Amino acid sequence: MKVIDIIKEAEAAGRCRFAFELLPPLKGDDITTLFATVDRLKRFDPAYINVTYHREDVKYVERPDGLLERRIASKRPGTVAISAAIQARYGIEVVPHLICGGFSAYDTEDALIDLNFMGINNVLALRGDTLRGEHSFRPTQGGHSHADELVSQIVAMNQGRMLDAEVDSVHPTDFCIGVAGYPEKHAEAPNAVCDIERLKRKVDTGADYIVTQMFFDNGKYFDFVERCRKAGIAVPIIPALKPFSTLRQLAVLPQTFHVDIPEELARRVERCTDNAQVRKVGVEWAVEQCRELKEAGAPVIHFYTMGKADNIENIAEAVFGEPQIQKR
Ligand code: FAD
């Protein structure tokens, strides 16, 4: 089933569904930890599971002659295979992330063909982050510079157009396309208005729905949705949350994700003396956020797990554990 249909079904039923994101294991780890996470969370009837994509990482290794050797390797490969394995094992819809960074348009086409053959019809189309050590995003030769170009390629395949017209008749794909949106603005956008105009471009190109960057202040999300609607963006905007879990995140999350930590949350975290207490505060805060988002009619709440399931399980228990209440 397509994610957009799951969202519409939840909206029509007045339901709020649970969805979460998984990271592929680090190279060398096996898939059982990932399955264990799904085993813990599947009782909350996830609407779908996202699987992140991690582009190659740059590493400098000192050689015996003292010179540094630049090595490029992927730390978390396997997104496509993991997505297929989860969908086959659990029968839950999966949403593999596809990124522009590190991919030529031909690589992307091959990945989409693989997904299509495996019966995966949902993708989240992203630009991807800048390669470590680079100041700005550089597309791979023959690759896309922005997510809207990736959306355009997927839409073309849905319309039966491949990059090269090598075959007379192309079987069209049927991908449902999600894209990312930033309630607190993407770090590289010159201003919030411009960022929303670019988001609208992704939607006008063919994205079916938007998933947000994490936020800790629901007011920022509600304001973002209002600004999107005013700008003519009509597709669903799925809120995404990440529970606070370590003291270090007070500095790391704003720095990495360009999000504000509300004063009250920062105070509660600062009063903690260890990370176990922070995790408790993080769960309580996320539960408060979820209750308000649910009340406001969010059809799905998406959770960034960052590979840790226990706090997500606690939140889901509090928010989605009780029987779903029909609003209408
Ligand atoms: P874009 O939409 O291309 O936007 C990037 C910047 O360029 C923005 O500042 C935007 O305003 C601007 N822009 C957009 N279009 C244009 C245009 N046509 N011309 C000029 N400027 C433009 N990263 C990963 O590497 N792997 C993942 O799995 C992953 N999952 C994510 C999931 C979610 C829900 C979110 C919110 C982010 C995720 N990211 C992931 C991070 C994401 O790749 C980065 O935030 C990245 O910097 C931007 O990606 P984007 O798709 O929003 O890019």
Side-chain angles (χ1 to χ4, degrees), residues 21 51-55 97 99 124-129 145-148 180-182 186 188-189 194-195 198 201-202 211-213 302 304:
E21 173 178 298
V51 183
T52 56
Y53 199 99
H54 298 260
R55 74 174 295 185
H97 294 188
I99 58 172
L124 190 69
L126 301 147
R127 186 196 69 179
D129 281 321
S145 302
H146 288 288
D148 62 333
Y182 301 82
H186 185 265
E188 295 162 35
C194 182
D195 205 24
R198 289 160 176 179
R201 195 181 308 179
K202 294 195 272 194
V211 191
T212 72
Q213 179 58 280
H302 173 103
Y304 293 102

Tab-separated table of all heavy atoms in Angstrom, residues 21 51-55 97 99 124-129 145-148 180-182 186 188-189 194-195 198 201-202 211-213 302 304, ligand 1:
chain	number	residue	atom	x	y	z
A	21	GLU	N	11.627	5.237	11.992
A	21	GLU	CA	12.739	5.184	11.049
A	21	GLU	C	13.853	4.321	11.628
A	21	GLU	O	14.147	4.403	12.805
A	21	GLU	CB	13.203	6.634	10.871
A	21	GLU	CG	14.430	6.835	10.077
A	21	GLU	CD	14.755	8.313	9.933
A	21	GLU	OE1	13.958	9.059	9.357
A	21	GLU	OE2	15.820	8.722	10.408
A	51	VAL	N	13.680	3.488	6.167
A	51	VAL	CA	15.062	3.001	6.310
A	51	VAL	C	15.984	4.065	5.711
A	51	VAL	O	15.883	4.387	4.515
A	51	VAL	CB	15.269	1.639	5.610
A	51	VAL	CG1	16.686	1.133	5.853
A	51	VAL	CG2	14.248	0.609	6.100
A	52	THR	N	16.849	4.614	6.538
A	52	THR	CA	17.705	5.725	6.091
A	52	THR	C	18.766	5.256	5.095
A	52	THR	O	19.078	4.064	5.007
A	52	THR	CB	18.424	6.387	7.283
A	52	THR	OG1	19.154	5.364	7.978
A	52	THR	CG2	17.440	7.014	8.243
A	53	TYR	N	19.305	6.225	4.370
A	53	TYR	CA	20.403	5.925	3.440
A	53	TYR	C	21.635	6.708	3.894
A	53	TYR	O	21.535	7.889	4.196
A	53	TYR	CB	20.041	6.334	2.002
A	53	TYR	CG	20.928	5.617	1.022
A	53	TYR	CD1	20.491	4.485	0.365
A	53	TYR	CD2	22.250	6.032	0.818
A	53	TYR	CE1	21.326	3.792	-0.479
A	53	TYR	CE2	23.094	5.339	-0.019
A	53	TYR	CZ	22.623	4.214	-0.677
A	53	TYR	OH	23.446	3.519	-1.498
A	54	HIS	N	22.757	6.047	3.939
A	54	HIS	CA	23.973	6.719	4.408
A	54	HIS	C	25.020	6.727	3.316
A	54	HIS	O	25.469	5.664	2.886
A	54	HIS	CB	24.496	6.040	5.676
A	54	HIS	CG	23.483	6.147	6.772
A	54	HIS	ND1	23.568	7.083	7.761
A	54	HIS	CD2	22.323	5.483	6.959
A	54	HIS	CE1	22.505	6.974	8.535
A	54	HIS	NE2	21.735	6.017	8.064
A	55	ARG	N	25.364	7.909	2.882
A	55	ARG	CA	26.348	7.983	1.800
A	55	ARG	C	27.734	7.654	2.344
A	55	ARG	O	27.936	7.560	3.551
A	55	ARG	CB	26.316	9.334	1.104
A	55	ARG	CG	26.912	10.482	1.866
A	55	ARG	CD	26.950	11.733	1.023
A	55	ARG	NE	27.831	11.585	-0.130
A	55	ARG	CZ	28.116	12.565	-0.975
A	55	ARG	NH1	27.558	13.743	-0.840
A	55	ARG	NH2	28.949	12.377	-1.971
A	97	HIS	N	14.997	5.398	2.010
A	97	HIS	CA	15.392	6.761	1.623
A	97	HIS	C	16.310	6.657	0.414
A	97	HIS	O	17.142	5.755	0.323
A	97	HIS	CB	16.135	7.442	2.773
A	97	HIS	CG	15.272	7.677	3.969
A	97	HIS	ND1	15.672	8.416	5.055
A	97	HIS	CD2	13.996	7.266	4.249
A	97	HIS	CE1	14.684	8.450	5.943
A	97	HIS	NE2	13.678	7.760	5.485
A	99	ILE	N	18.986	9.110	-1.822
A	99	ILE	CA	19.645	10.419	-1.763
A	99	ILE	C	20.346	10.732	-3.091
A	99	ILE	O	20.617	9.830	-3.889
A	99	ILE	CB	20.654	10.506	-0.591
A	99	ILE	CG1	21.735	9.415	-0.693
A	99	ILE	CG2	19.943	10.417	0.748
A	99	ILE	CD1	22.850	9.570	0.329
A	124	LEU	N	11.490	7.911	0.054
A	124	LEU	CA	11.641	9.287	0.536
A	124	LEU	C	12.804	9.874	-0.251
A	124	LEU	O	13.924	9.354	-0.194
A	124	LEU	CB	11.931	9.302	2.047
A	124	LEU	CG	11.868	10.681	2.708
A	124	LEU	CD1	10.434	11.211	2.753
A	124	LEU	CD2	12.402	10.632	4.142
A	125	ALA	N	12.523	10.922	-1.032
A	125	ALA	CA	13.527	11.484	-1.943
A	125	ALA	C	14.241	12.663	-1.282
A	125	ALA	O	13.618	13.673	-0.947
A	125	ALA	CB	12.858	11.938	-3.239
A	126	LEU	N	15.546	12.519	-1.107
A	126	LEU	CA	16.334	13.518	-0.365
A	126	LEU	C	17.591	13.901	-1.142
A	126	LEU	O	18.074	13.124	-1.958
A	126	LEU	CB	16.786	12.911	0.963
A	126	LEU	CG	15.690	12.437	1.895
A	126	LEU	CD1	16.162	11.232	2.671
A	126	LEU	CD2	15.254	13.551	2.812
A	127	ARG	N	18.110	15.058	-0.800
A	127	ARG	CA	19.391	15.416	-1.397
A	127	ARG	C	20.533	14.694	-0.700
A	127	ARG	O	21.494	14.254	-1.306
A	127	ARG	CB	19.619	16.936	-1.285
A	127	ARG	CG	20.862	17.379	-2.024
A	127	ARG	CD	21.298	18.752	-1.608
A	127	ARG	NE	21.802	18.768	-0.230
A	127	ARG	CZ	22.259	19.835	0.382
A	127	ARG	NH1	22.243	20.991	-0.246
A	127	ARG	NH2	22.711	19.769	1.619
A	128	GLY	N	20.410	14.564	0.615
A	128	GLY	CA	21.497	13.971	1.395
A	128	GLY	C	22.415	15.061	1.908
A	128	GLY	O	22.395	16.199	1.428
A	129	ASP	N	23.192	14.702	2.906
A	129	ASP	CA	24.070	15.691	3.525
A	129	ASP	C	25.363	15.860	2.757
A	129	ASP	O	25.726	15.026	1.930
A	129	ASP	CB	24.338	15.302	4.977
A	129	ASP	CG	23.171	15.682	5.871
A	129	ASP	OD1	22.596	16.762	5.645
A	129	ASP	OD2	22.829	14.891	6.767
A	145	SER	N	21.521	17.729	-8.045
A	145	SER	CA	21.981	18.721	-7.065
A	145	SER	C	20.974	18.931	-5.950
A	145	SER	O	21.322	19.362	-4.856
A	145	SER	CB	22.193	20.077	-7.738
A	145	SER	OG	23.121	19.954	-8.760
A	146	HIS	N	19.703	18.705	-6.258
A	146	HIS	CA	18.650	18.947	-5.264
A	146	HIS	C	17.591	17.860	-5.341
A	146	HIS	O	17.421	17.205	-6.374
A	146	HIS	CB	18.004	20.320	-5.477
A	146	HIS	CG	18.913	21.432	-5.087
A	146	HIS	ND1	19.207	21.710	-3.778
A	146	HIS	CD2	19.634	22.291	-5.823
A	146	HIS	CE1	20.058	22.708	-3.721
A	146	HIS	NE2	20.345	23.081	-4.946
A	147	ALA	N	16.867	17.735	-4.226
A	147	ALA	CA	15.865	16.663	-4.148
A	147	ALA	C	14.788	16.810	-5.220
A	147	ALA	O	14.239	15.803	-5.685
A	147	ALA	CB	15.242	16.662	-2.754
A	148	ASP	N	14.468	18.046	-5.648
A	148	ASP	CA	13.404	18.186	-6.662
A	148	ASP	C	13.779	17.486	-7.971
A	148	ASP	O	12.927	16.950	-8.674
A	148	ASP	CB	13.019	19.652	-6.888
A	148	ASP	CG	14.163	20.500	-7.425
A	148	ASP	OD1	15.338	20.168	-7.165
A	148	ASP	OD2	13.894	21.506	-8.111
A	180	ALA	N	11.446	15.863	2.329
A	180	ALA	CA	11.713	16.455	3.652
A	180	ALA	C	11.314	17.929	3.688
A	180	ALA	O	11.466	18.652	2.699
A	180	ALA	CB	13.206	16.323	3.972
A	181	GLY	N	10.809	18.366	4.860
A	181	GLY	CA	10.489	19.774	5.086
A	181	GLY	C	11.055	20.198	6.436
A	181	GLY	O	11.219	19.365	7.336
A	182	TYR	N	11.324	21.478	6.585
A	182	TYR	CA	12.054	21.969	7.768
A	182	TYR	C	11.272	23.080	8.481
A	182	TYR	O	11.332	24.239	8.084
A	182	TYR	CB	13.444	22.486	7.331
A	182	TYR	CG	14.229	21.387	6.656
A	182	TYR	CD1	14.017	21.075	5.307
A	182	TYR	CD2	15.129	20.609	7.372
A	182	TYR	CE1	14.691	20.019	4.698
A	182	TYR	CE2	15.807	19.571	6.768
A	182	TYR	CZ	15.576	19.274	5.435
A	182	TYR	OH	16.235	18.230	4.844
A	186	HIS	N	15.755	24.992	6.546
A	186	HIS	CA	16.971	24.230	6.268
A	186	HIS	C	18.163	25.165	6.450
A	186	HIS	O	18.100	26.352	6.072
A	186	HIS	CB	16.933	23.666	4.838
A	186	HIS	CG	18.101	22.788	4.534
A	186	HIS	ND1	19.236	23.254	3.902
A	186	HIS	CD2	18.332	21.481	4.808
A	186	HIS	CE1	20.109	22.250	3.789
A	186	HIS	NE2	19.587	21.166	4.329
A	188	GLU	N	20.845	25.728	4.967
A	188	GLU	CA	21.453	26.432	3.833
A	188	GLU	C	20.513	27.416	3.150
A	188	GLU	O	20.941	28.167	2.275
A	188	GLU	CB	21.912	25.408	2.779
A	188	GLU	CG	23.011	24.496	3.271
A	188	GLU	CD	23.136	23.250	2.402
A	188	GLU	OE1	22.924	23.324	1.178
A	188	GLU	OE2	23.436	22.179	2.958
A	189	ALA	N	19.234	27.395	3.523
A	189	ALA	CA	18.284	28.290	2.846
A	189	ALA	C	18.499	29.721	3.314
A	189	ALA	O	18.678	29.966	4.509
A	189	ALA	CB	16.857	27.847	3.140
A	194	CYS	N	11.947	31.529	1.210
A	194	CYS	CA	12.638	30.888	0.099
A	194	CYS	C	12.646	29.364	0.280
A	194	CYS	O	12.427	28.595	-0.668
A	194	CYS	CB	14.052	31.455	0.102
A	194	CYS	SG	15.050	30.868	-1.192
A	195	ASP	N	12.843	28.915	1.515
A	195	ASP	CA	12.885	27.476	1.806
A	195	ASP	C	11.530	26.844	1.470
A	195	ASP	O	11.462	25.752	0.896
A	195	ASP	CB	13.221	27.275	3.296
A	195	ASP	CG	13.862	25.924	3.564
A	195	ASP	OD1	14.460	25.349	2.632
A	195	ASP	OD2	13.762	25.444	4.703
A	198	ARG	N	10.996	26.525	-2.230
A	198	ARG	CA	11.718	25.362	-2.772
A	198	ARG	C	11.034	24.051	-2.396
A	198	ARG	O	11.038	23.098	-3.157
A	198	ARG	CB	13.170	25.382	-2.301
A	198	ARG	CG	13.946	26.502	-2.972
A	198	ARG	CD	15.181	26.836	-2.200
A	198	ARG	NE	16.012	27.830	-2.853
A	198	ARG	CZ	17.141	28.280	-2.346
A	198	ARG	NH1	17.572	27.816	-1.186
A	198	ARG	NH2	17.859	29.176	-2.980
A	201	ARG	N	8.323	23.563	-4.726
A	201	ARG	CA	8.808	23.058	-6.016
A	201	ARG	C	8.861	21.518	-5.995
A	201	ARG	O	8.525	20.854	-6.958
A	201	ARG	CB	10.202	23.647	-6.301
A	201	ARG	CG	10.619	23.486	-7.745
A	201	ARG	CD	11.996	24.046	-8.022
A	201	ARG	NE	12.186	25.426	-7.577
A	201	ARG	CZ	13.333	26.087	-7.704
A	201	ARG	NH1	14.377	25.513	-8.266
A	201	ARG	NH2	13.457	27.322	-7.270
A	202	LYS	N	9.290	20.970	-4.850
A	202	LYS	CA	9.357	19.498	-4.747
A	202	LYS	C	7.950	18.902	-4.856
A	202	LYS	O	7.749	17.878	-5.489
A	202	LYS	CB	9.991	19.071	-3.415
A	202	LYS	CG	11.457	19.456	-3.291
A	202	LYS	CD	12.159	18.720	-2.151
A	202	LYS	CE	12.078	19.400	-0.813
A	202	LYS	NZ	13.005	18.872	0.192
A	211	VAL	N	7.645	14.915	5.129
A	211	VAL	CA	7.973	14.527	6.509
A	211	VAL	C	8.889	15.608	7.039
A	211	VAL	O	9.831	16.026	6.349
A	211	VAL	CB	8.765	13.199	6.590
A	211	VAL	CG1	8.841	12.716	8.039
A	211	VAL	CG2	8.175	12.145	5.714
A	212	THR	N	8.669	16.031	8.279
A	212	THR	CA	9.456	17.153	8.783
A	212	THR	C	10.788	16.707	9.394
A	212	THR	O	10.939	15.554	9.801
A	212	THR	CB	8.707	17.946	9.876
A	212	THR	OG1	8.665	17.165	11.069
A	212	THR	CG2	7.321	18.346	9.429
A	213	GLN	N	11.658	17.645	9.484
A	213	GLN	CA	12.834	17.513	10.351
A	213	GLN	C	12.309	17.442	11.793
A	213	GLN	O	11.192	17.885	12.071
A	213	GLN	CB	13.727	18.763	10.155
A	213	GLN	CG	14.974	18.809	10.998
A	213	GLN	CD	15.868	17.596	10.750
A	213	GLN	OE1	15.600	16.527	11.302
A	213	GLN	NE2	16.908	17.762	9.952
A	302	HIS	N	5.888	10.434	13.023
A	302	HIS	CA	7.086	9.694	12.607
A	302	HIS	C	8.160	9.870	13.690
A	302	HIS	O	8.351	10.966	14.192
A	302	HIS	CB	7.542	10.313	11.271
A	302	HIS	CG	8.838	9.827	10.720
A	302	HIS	ND1	8.904	8.937	9.682
A	302	HIS	CD2	10.120	10.124	11.031
A	302	HIS	CE1	10.179	8.704	9.384
A	302	HIS	NE2	10.932	9.419	10.195
A	304	TYR	N	12.200	9.394	14.846
A	304	TYR	CA	13.602	9.102	14.532
A	304	TYR	C	14.112	8.211	15.657
A	304	TYR	O	14.148	8.642	16.815
A	304	TYR	CB	14.428	10.392	14.516
A	304	TYR	CG	14.056	11.338	13.391
A	304	TYR	CD1	13.262	12.458	13.612
A	304	TYR	CD2	14.515	11.107	12.106
A	304	TYR	CE1	12.938	13.323	12.575
A	304	TYR	CE2	14.194	11.964	11.067
A	304	TYR	CZ	13.416	13.068	11.308
A	304	TYR	OH	13.093	13.915	10.278
B	1	FAD	P1	16.762	19.808	-0.818
B	1	FAD	O1	15.283	19.804	-0.918
B	1	FAD	O2	17.515	19.682	-2.096
B	1	FAD	O3	17.163	21.165	-0.074
B	1	FAD	C1	18.514	21.397	0.332
B	1	FAD	C2	18.772	22.912	0.354
B	1	FAD	O4	18.742	23.428	-0.968
B	1	FAD	C3	17.728	23.715	1.121
B	1	FAD	O5	18.397	24.795	1.715
B	1	FAD	C4	16.754	24.208	0.074
B	1	FAD	O6	16.166	25.433	0.443
B	1	FAD	C5	17.673	24.356	-1.147
B	1	FAD	N1	17.023	23.985	-2.411
B	1	FAD	C6	16.118	23.002	-2.608
B	1	FAD	N2	15.814	22.918	-3.925
B	1	FAD	C7	16.543	23.859	-4.551
B	1	FAD	C8	16.695	24.250	-5.918
B	1	FAD	N3	16.014	23.639	-6.884
B	1	FAD	N4	17.565	25.253	-6.224
B	1	FAD	C9	18.290	25.875	-5.245
B	1	FAD	N5	18.177	25.551	-3.924
B	1	FAD	C10	17.337	24.548	-3.592
B	1	FAD	N6	20.168	12.489	4.914
B	1	FAD	C11	20.792	11.371	4.496
B	1	FAD	O7	21.951	11.450	4.052
B	1	FAD	N7	20.183	10.143	4.546
B	1	FAD	C12	18.914	9.992	5.005
B	1	FAD	O8	18.390	8.881	5.044
B	1	FAD	C13	18.215	11.159	5.452
B	1	FAD	N8	16.940	11.091	5.893
B	1	FAD	C14	16.264	12.232	6.218
B	1	FAD	C15	14.899	12.157	6.577
B	1	FAD	C16	14.190	13.310	6.904
B	1	FAD	C17	12.725	13.202	7.269
B	1	FAD	C18	14.844	14.575	6.898
B	1	FAD	C19	14.104	15.826	7.276
B	1	FAD	C20	16.179	14.659	6.542
B	1	FAD	C21	16.905	13.505	6.187
B	1	FAD	N9	18.241	13.548	5.792
B	1	FAD	C22	18.890	12.413	5.378
B	1	FAD	C23	18.974	14.815	5.817
B	1	FAD	C24	18.851	15.582	4.476
B	1	FAD	O9	19.452	14.838	3.437
B	1	FAD	C25	19.569	16.915	4.667
B	1	FAD	O10	18.817	17.729	5.520
B	1	FAD	C26	19.962	17.646	3.403
B	1	FAD	O11	20.853	18.690	3.779
B	1	FAD	C27	18.815	18.275	2.634
B	1	FAD	O12	18.024	17.339	2.037
B	1	FAD	P2	16.670	17.757	1.271
B	1	FAD	O13	16.145	16.546	0.630
B	1	FAD	O14	15.788	18.546	2.129
B	1	FAD	O15	17.316	18.722	0.132
